[in-house]
Amino acid sequence: MNVLNLVSNEDARFFEQQTKVLERRGVNCATMKPPGDHVAREDVTERSVGDYLRFVPQVINESLEGYDVVHANYGLTAPAALAQVRLPVVLSLWGTDLMGEYGWLSKQCARYCDAVIVMSDEMARELGEPCHVIPHGIDMDRFAPRPKDEARAEVGWDPDARHVLFPYPPSQDVKNHSRARRIVERASERIETDVELQVVYGVPHAEVAAYMNAADALLLTSKREGSPNSVKEALSCNLPVVSTDVGDVADRLDGVSPSAVSDDDDELVEALTDVLADPRRSNGRETVRHLSLDRMAERIEGVYESVV
């Protein structure tokens, strides 16, 4: 099967993993992105409406080159996918494209797509249309538990301090870095050991697992999410997670200890303090074994086959 992927950020690690594992299964994946730059770091560059308009004829021309399916990854690429009328369209919504500013556009486009994939049950409810719930998979070989002291030596962190991982650029307002900082500051006042908020982003994906194994907890303070990969990868490393109640996080943390979900700052501080005062690993890995990359690819391939 030949699939033309449209994507706003081809460097998104979960997209790279998705195409890699699909190709391993025999699906030929070509990728196109709109003109302009998307930089998923502190100096985020947003494309203009004109960039997306220029993308439309490019997609129409490319769609004539022997593809079986057009897969629009992220809602803003859906109009270009639908502009070609020969091939079936699969739309994957990642989270902010449905729950954020342009959610109205994603919802309108979803009505005309042959199949829609979302990351969580919450997103399915928000969409309000028939869809497939397929969370992004995780590489459980890469994201596996390692000795904490070994990982800290690798990333250069103080072996005697407590470390809270925040794996997002502070500039991304939806991730709410300021709230994370406040929660860590309050928790640090309750224990005697030094506490450091480690803001880690823009590093090669292969290195992220080392930071997760070096940390005492992952802190997620996002205003909205779909199915955040950072939470699933942390669980695969048995790293405790303290998070706001967004996306599918509550479902992912059900039965995981120590970990906590709340929208109340006092409760988040209490949960983080508990983990930092008595550092220990969670039982998260056993809860995410069904979210492997191969299982994700198998389900996406099934969606392709259903629309061809």
Side-chain angles (χ1 to χ4, degrees):
M1 183 176 296
N2 297 311
V3 177
L4 175 60
N5 284 280
L6 312 183
V7 66
S8 58
N9 177 17
E10 65 180 344
D11 295 324
R13 62 176 183 252
F14 46 81
F15 174 74
E16 292 177 339
Q17 289 176 322
Q18 173 181 300
T19 55
K20 183 177 180 180
V21 72
L22 282 168
E23 287 181 335
R24 196 163 65 219
R25 293 178 60 86
V27 177
N28 297 316
C29 297
T31 298
M32 293 183 68
K33 63 178 181 178
D37 294 324
H38 177 97
V39 183
R41 293 186 175 87
E42 187 115 17
D43 51 342
V44 174
T45 300
E46 294 187 1
R47 292 187 175 92
S48 67
V49 173
D51 291 329
Y52 283 98
L53 289 174
R54 287 192 294 275
F55 191 42
V56 171
Q58 297 174 11
V59 172
I60 293 174
N61 289 335
E62 182 63 23
S63 70
L64 302 174
E65 299 300 318
Y67 297 100
D68 301 298
V69 177
V70 177
H71 188 170
N73 296 270
Y74 201 76
L76 292 179
T77 66
L82 291 167
Q84 63 75 38
V85 295
R86 296 178 58 256
L87 302 175
V89 174
V90 174
L91 169 61
S92 281
L93 299 173
W94 290 357
T96 55
D97 50 350
L98 176 62
M99 318 294 276
E101 180 180 1
Y102 296 103
W104 63 270
L105 178 61
S106 296
K107 290 178 181 179
Q108 284 294 109
C109 291
R111 296 172 59 190
Y112 299 100
C113 293
D114 297 275
V116 180
I117 297 171
V118 297
M119 306 300 124
S120 68
D121 290 333
E122 180 191 32
M123 290 181 66
R125 290 190 293 271
E126 177 67 23
L127 180 63
E129 300 281 347
C131 59
H132 304 267
V133 179
I134 306 177
H136 290 302
I138 49 176
D139 186 340
M140 297 194 68
D141 293 329
R142 174 174 293 169
F143 289 89
R146 289 174 50 196
K148 186 184 295 184
D149 56 352
E150 174 187 297
R152 287 189 176 177
E154 181 176 331
V155 302
W157 288 358
D158 183 348
D160 299 319
R162 302 286 191 264
H163 298 276
V164 180
L165 180 62
F166 184 85
Y168 305 106
S171 61
Q172 290 186 2
D173 179 68
V174 71
K175 304 300 183 182
N176 210 343
H177 171 262
S178 60
R179 187 178 187 184
R181 188 177 62 251
R182 291 194 304 271
I183 289 169
V184 170
E185 288 173 352
R186 289 179 58 189
S188 68
E189 295 171 356
R190 301 188 180 194
I191 65 174
E192 297 180 358
T193 309
D194 291 339
V195 178
E196 298 183 19
L197 176 62
Q198 301 287 358
V199 179
V200 177
Y201 64 94
V203 301
H205 190 227
E207 299 176 12
V208 175
Y211 289 95
M212 289 191 167
N213 279 292
D216 294 293
L218 175 82
L219 180 59
L220 185 82
T221 49
S222 297
K223 300 174 183 177
R224 55 184 181 271
E225 291 280 356
S227 179
N229 261 30
S230 60
V231 169
K232 291 175 286 188
E233 290 168 348
L235 292 175
S236 189
C237 293
N238 286 336
L239 175 65
V241 176
V242 176
S243 175
T244 48
D245 189 2
V246 290
D248 65 353
V249 175
D251 291 336
R252 294 285 161 250
L253 297 187
D254 185 26
V256 177
S257 179
S259 285
V261 176
S262 177
D263 283 327
D264 180 80
D265 275 15
D266 291 340
E267 293 180 1
L268 293 172
V269 170
E270 186 68 30
L272 185 60
T273 301
D274 172 65
V275 173
L276 297 180
D278 179 22
R280 60 219 188 262
R281 299 328 251 178
S282 77
N283 62 329
R285 187 171 176 83
E286 65 188 55
T287 71
V288 292
R289 291 191 183 278
H290 65 292
L291 297 175
S292 69
L293 289 172
D294 285 331
R295 177 58 180 149
M296 175 200 69
E298 178 185 355
R299 296 183 66 193
I300 293 175
E301 188 175 4
V303 174
Y304 293 160
E305 292 172 348
S306 73
V307 301
V308 172

